[in-house]
Amino acid sequence: MKKYIRSFFVVIGVSLAAVLLHFSGILSFLENKTFDSRTKFAASYCYPSQDICFITVDQESINWARREMGWGWPWPRKALGDVVNYMNISNAESIAFDVLFTEPSVYGDDDDEAFGKACADYGRVVHAMYADDASSSSDDLIFPVDPIRRSAGVIGSTVSAKDGDDVQRRARISFISDDAEYPSLGVAPLVISGMTIDEIRQSYPVEKEDTLLLRYRKNLGVYNPYRASDVLQSYYDYIEGREPLIPPESFEGAYVYYAYYAPGLFDICSSPISQVYPGCGVHVTELDNFLSNDFMRTVPTPLSVAWIVFASVLGILAISFTEARRSSLGNALSAVGTVAFGLAIITAGSFALFVMGWYILLVAPLAAFAFSFLLQLALTYMLEGRQKRFIKAAFSQYLSPAVIDQLISNPDSLRLGGEEREISIFFSDVQGFTSISEGLAKNPTKLTEVLNLYLSEMSSIILKSGGTIDKYEGDAIIAFWNAPADQEDHAARILGAALECQKRLDELRSELKKMTGKDFYQRIGMNTGHAVVGNMGSSNRFDYTMLGDSVNLASRLEGLNKQFGTYTMCSKATMESALAHGCKLHFREIARVAVVGKKEAVTVYEPMPDEVYAARKELIESFDKGRKLFYEGDFAGAKAVFDLTKESDPPASFYSDKCAELMANPPSEWQGVWKASSK
């Protein structure tokens, strides 16, 4: 009963704290970022209206106008009138200019009058006005010059509705000045079609400050884009009796936007889709949301609060389920499983609702889940003394025993900070894992089973050798030795672990192939050097990890295996340190390489045990002969040597191709350095 009462108060307290954090705005930045992530995810499930198209003045259009028409920039506004004339001929629903014509034409007043006449004859043209902010008086508004303003069917507002981080997740319905109300450029075409602003406002889910939460598509390319040059050419063809490039019926009944799209001309804003997004895209999205009736709708506040309470309850259940297990292994598995399940429910639920057009909070519920889980864990430790058993059970799958013991014996180490020390760094990655995952895309359970088997076997070897697993990144494993516990022979340990991992993978290969239908190989890169190791992150979320140039080099060496057909590679520093501490492995020098991001060349080696070296001794000796000739710049001689063994020795094959390339394009200076072509 005490547990239930304690859990009840934890849920109430944590839920209240999460609600206050959200409505105080403290979580707004993170919440906005999750909104952006969900927008990108849901964009693939949103389909654009076929009634919208836009005409762009891109660089090719500008080049065409200069070449064919003799127009410099800006174009004469009569040309824009010709665009309007073609929309009139095509019976387009309307055309909206996302352009501010606030200054008279440089071609004279007649140019403005010609443009204005074309707009007036059509009668369904939206022109844009601008105000500095949403509270500007009518005296501060910036309108088109008089001939153009008088010709407009509607004047549309370009006043944005940016959030605090300058991202446009919403759009205004209108802009209200002292004496008039102007529809936004996104809804002005609807006003031309007969709707009033009040009807628009009453028909759709209005958010704060008279705005609408936008539901973006993937990009502007999903609509029907036309170059301004093609439209003009089509108009000229039409009036001269030729077959137009773009038939008039292409625009029939369409809501058309005209915008600048050439570099240096179009306005840029930040949207959930991209930090560099054409401003016209906001107006197009708003109109599309109206036509498709799929604006984002925010769930009512009571439901948001209930969602936070639900997340808090999940956090409590995660701890309760973990405590129910008797064994350490059971504790670990249940902790990981329940935490992952809880986070997955909250995240997947918010994403699923978003796809359906409902926006519900994500950060506050995740915070509530984490807070309730951690608070209940802390109370369990203080009141029942279970913290040590829980930490060992929950994290033994991820950290070396030395790290776990350090956390248990010194809880104060769970704070930000680091120290510089020499470590040996390990990066591994599965060859062709994208292809493997795509092959199992319809069976995610099988993919998870494969990945868990592989990571478990490799991790067990790393931890057994005293390594600390930094993190998993998909199929990649990142680990290091000599931290937090001191290990003088850390370089020897990492090499031994790497070869043991390769050996174990050889044993598992047939089983993994049965599961995936593909051969399973991993590439490993290793380096030894100084790095900063410690708890890094934010004050409330951090990892025991490493940073430094030596870490980056180890990552590069993992990828460098691709360029030589090898699967295990280490730096000279790792080899020398290992040999100094009794390592008995053999090392084949592969190359002097200038990896991406570093100017100085690094000598890299392929480590191998006695039995492998003995079986490949002749190949290796031949390779060494060719490599020395390569260093000396004798590419023809080196190629001749490498060609002898390239069928049975992948590095020799790659060197043969490299020699042929250098023979065809001899370098001006040669220092025997292989320049890596990729990371």
Side-chain angles (χ1 to χ4, degrees):
M1 182 59 67
K2 288 182 179 179
K3 278 187 179 181
Y4 292 136
I5 294 174
R6 187 176 76 221
S7 298
F8 173 79
F9 282 107
V10 168
V11 168
I12 296 300
V14 167
S15 299
L16 181 60
V19 169
L20 292 175
L21 284 173
H22 171 74
F23 287 103
S24 68
I26 293 175
L27 302 179
S28 295
F29 177 80
L30 292 176
E31 183 62 34
N32 283 338
K33 296 309 174 187
T34 67
F35 182 96
D36 297 347
S37 297
R38 285 176 277 177
T39 296
K40 292 177 182 177
F41 175 81
S44 298
Y45 301 93
C46 301
Y47 302 101
S49 170
Q50 297 302 307
D51 295 329
I52 300 175
C53 64
F54 64 97
I55 300 172
T56 63
V57 182
D58 59 0
Q59 189 60 49
E60 186 167 330
S61 294
I62 293 175
N63 294 341
W64 171 87
R66 183 183 298 110
R67 183 179 64 252
E68 302 294 334
M69 309 300 293
W71 298 337
W73 185 260
W75 289 353
R77 287 175 182 168
K78 179 183 179 302
L80 278 62
D82 290 340
V83 172
V84 172
N85 288 334
Y86 202 50
M87 296 303 104
N88 195 355
I89 292 169
S90 303
N91 196 27
E93 186 68 24
S94 64
I95 181 170
F97 284 86
D98 188 19
V99 181
L100 294 171
F101 301 106
T102 57
E103 299 293 333
S105 170
V106 297
Y107 296 90
D109 293 342
D110 290 345
D111 192 37
D112 285 328
E113 293 291 346
F115 183 29
K117 183 179 184 307
C119 294
D121 289 345
Y122 181 29
R124 286 180 280 177
V125 178
V126 179
H127 282 303
M129 54 78 68
Y130 175 75
D132 287 337
D133 55 59
S135 62
S136 295
S137 69
S138 58
D139 295 334
D140 297 326
L141 306 186
I142 303 173
F143 289 97
V145 294
D146 190 56
I148 298 175
R149 180 178 180 181
R150 283 188 284 104
S151 71
V154 170
I155 295 292
S157 166
T158 59
V159 178
S160 64
K162 298 177 182 177
D163 286 329
D165 57 358
D166 233 24
V167 177
Q168 295 199 180
R169 301 178 181 87
R170 58 189 74 245
R172 298 185 184 280
I173 294 177
S174 67
F175 171 80
I176 301 174
S177 70
D178 294 340
D179 55 1
E181 183 175 12
Y182 302 92
S184 72
L185 210 60
V187 304
L190 298 176
V191 175
I192 279 187
S193 297
M195 292 186 71
T196 67
I197 297 177
D198 283 339
E199 287 174 340
I200 293 171
R201 185 177 287 112
Q202 293 168 9
S203 302
Y204 298 96
V206 179
E207 300 278 331
K208 62 181 181 180
E209 299 178 1
D210 202 33
T211 61
L212 296 156
L213 205 54
L214 297 175
R215 186 177 175 93
Y216 282 89
R217 281 40 173 159
K218 289 190 290 186
N219 52 59
L220 278 178
V222 301
Y223 297 98
N224 300 313
Y226 298 96
R227 287 193 173 94
S229 57
D230 293 341
V231 175
L232 286 168
Q233 185 62 62
S234 298
Y235 173 64
Y236 300 143
D237 288 342
Y238 181 85
I239 62 177
E240 293 176 11
R242 296 189 299 268
E243 182 70 22
L245 178 65
I246 306 172
E249 53 267 25
S250 300
F251 299 102
E252 185 176 358
Y255 297 90
V256 183
Y257 280 87
Y258 181 98
Y260 295 152
Y261 214 67
L265 292 182
F266 71 95
D267 62 318
I268 298 173
C269 69
S270 293
S271 75
I273 295 296
S274 171
Q275 292 183 345
V276 182
Y277 194 75
C280 183
V282 178
H283 310 309
V284 171
T285 300
E286 184 177 16
L287 177 61
D288 190 357
N289 288 174
F290 274 109
L291 297 178
S292 304
N293 191 24
D294 67 346
F295 281 101
M296 291 304 305
R297 290 165 168 80
T298 302
V299 302
T301 299
L303 285 179
S304 293
V305 173
W307 182 237
I308 291 172
V309 173
F310 172 73
S312 301
V313 172
L314 278 183
I316 295 295
L317 293 177
I319 287 293
S320 300
F321 189 75
T322 298
E323 291 176 350
R325 297 289 177 256
R326 299 296 182 186
S327 66
S328 297
L329 178 61
N331 272 324
L333 294 176
S334 61
V336 173
T338 51
V339 169
F341 183 68
L343 294 175
I345 286 179
I346 297 167
T347 303
S350 70
F351 272 74
L353 285 172
F354 205 93
V355 170
M356 292 186 287
W358 288 97
Y359 165 54
I360 196 168
L361 301 179
L362 178 55
V363 174
L366 288 177
F369 176 85
F371 290 164
S372 63
F373 180 89
L374 294 174
L375 181 57
Q376 188 77 341
L377 175 63
L379 290 173
T380 299
Y381 167 72
M382 289 185 294
L383 300 177
E384 301 176 21
R386 297 181 179 176
Q387 186 198 45
K388 291 183 180 180
R389 290 193 299 275
F390 179 80
I391 291 178
K392 277 195 172 183
F395 297 105
S396 61
Q397 305 297 314
Y398 308 98
L399 303 178
S400 69
V403 177
I404 297 174
D405 291 341
Q406 184 183 55
L407 297 180
I408 292 174
S409 62
N410 183 20
D412 289 338
S413 64
L414 283 171
R415 61 181 58 174
L416 295 178
E419 62 174 335
E420 182 176 345
R421 62 192 299 165
E422 184 183 79
I423 58 173
S424 289
I425 306 117
F426 175 106
F427 277 77
S428 74
D429 196 43
V430 174
Q431 174 181 284
F433 188 75
T434 299
S435 174
I436 294 173
S437 59
E438 288 175 351
L440 296 176
K442 295 183 179 180
N443 192 349
T445 302
K446 177 65 70 175
L447 179 60
T448 302
E449 182 182 351
V450 169
L451 197 56
N452 284 344
L453 172 61
Y454 165 73
L455 293 176
S456 296
E457 293 291 334
M458 300 303 106
S459 299
S460 176
I461 293 170
I462 292 169
L463 295 175
K464 185 178 179 181
S465 69
T468 297
I469 295 178
D470 185 328
K471 62 178 71 72
Y472 302 110
E473 293 183 350
D475 58 294
I477 303 173
I478 304 172
F480 52 91
W481 281 253
N482 200 34
D486 294 328
Q487 299 162 331
E488 285 190 7
D489 61 341
H490 52 88
R493 288 172 180 254
I494 192 175
L495 289 167
L499 295 183
E500 184 65 20
C501 284
Q502 296 288 24
K503 180 181 178 181
R504 181 58 182 148
L505 186 56
D506 286 343
E507 296 169 353
L508 293 171
R509 189 162 292 118
S510 60
E511 180 180 353
L512 290 169
K513 186 170 185 178
K514 291 179 182 178
M515 300 171 72
T516 64
K518 297 180 182 295
D519 288 324
F520 218 90
Y521 292 90
Q522 67 177 337
R523 299 187 183 96
I524 298 174
M526 294 166 285
N527 182 40
T528 297
H530 284 82
V532 175
V533 184
N535 293 317
M536 302 176 198
S538 66
S539 58
N540 56 6
R541 174 71 186 222
F542 49 80
D543 294 314
Y544 189 77
T545 187
M546 54 183 169
L547 291 174
D549 189 60
S550 58
V551 180
N552 296 334
L553 178 56
S555 175
R556 298 288 188 270
L557 296 190
E558 180 273 312
L560 194 61
N561 280 291
K562 300 177 187 177
Q563 298 189 33
F564 295 99
T566 56
Y567 289 96
T568 309
M569 182 180 291
C570 72
S571 66
K572 185 176 182 180
T574 300
M575 179 192 72
E576 290 179 343
S577 179
L579 292 175
H581 289 87
C583 176
K584 303 299 183 182
L585 296 174
H586 293 273
F587 296 85
R588 167 160 65 157
E589 182 176 339
I590 296 296
R592 300 171 190 159
V593 182
V595 299
V596 176
K598 290 183 69 68
K599 295 181 179 179
E600 297 180 0
V602 178
T603 306
V604 294
Y605 296 82
E606 180 185 17
M608 60 190 73
D610 287 337
E611 62 272 19
V612 174
Y613 176 78
R616 304 176 64 191
K617 184 176 180 181
E618 291 183 4
L619 289 176
I620 293 170
E621 289 175 349
S622 177
F623 175 86
D624 287 342
K625 180 181 177 182
R627 176 180 49 76
K628 291 174 183 177
L629 292 172
F630 180 88
Y631 284 176
E632 295 167 2
D634 182 2
F635 304 126
K639 187 177 188 307
V641 174
F642 289 131
D643 285 346
L644 296 174
T645 59
K646 68 178 185 179
E647 298 298 327
S648 53
D649 188 25
S653 177
F654 280 87
Y655 260 97
S656 176
D657 293 341
K658 189 71 170 180
C659 287
E661 176 186 336
L662 293 172
M663 289 165 65
N665 298 284
S668 57
E669 294 184 16
W670 179 248
Q671 298 177 336
V673 175
W674 183 302
K675 292 186 178 180
S677 58
S678 64
K679 295 182 180 181

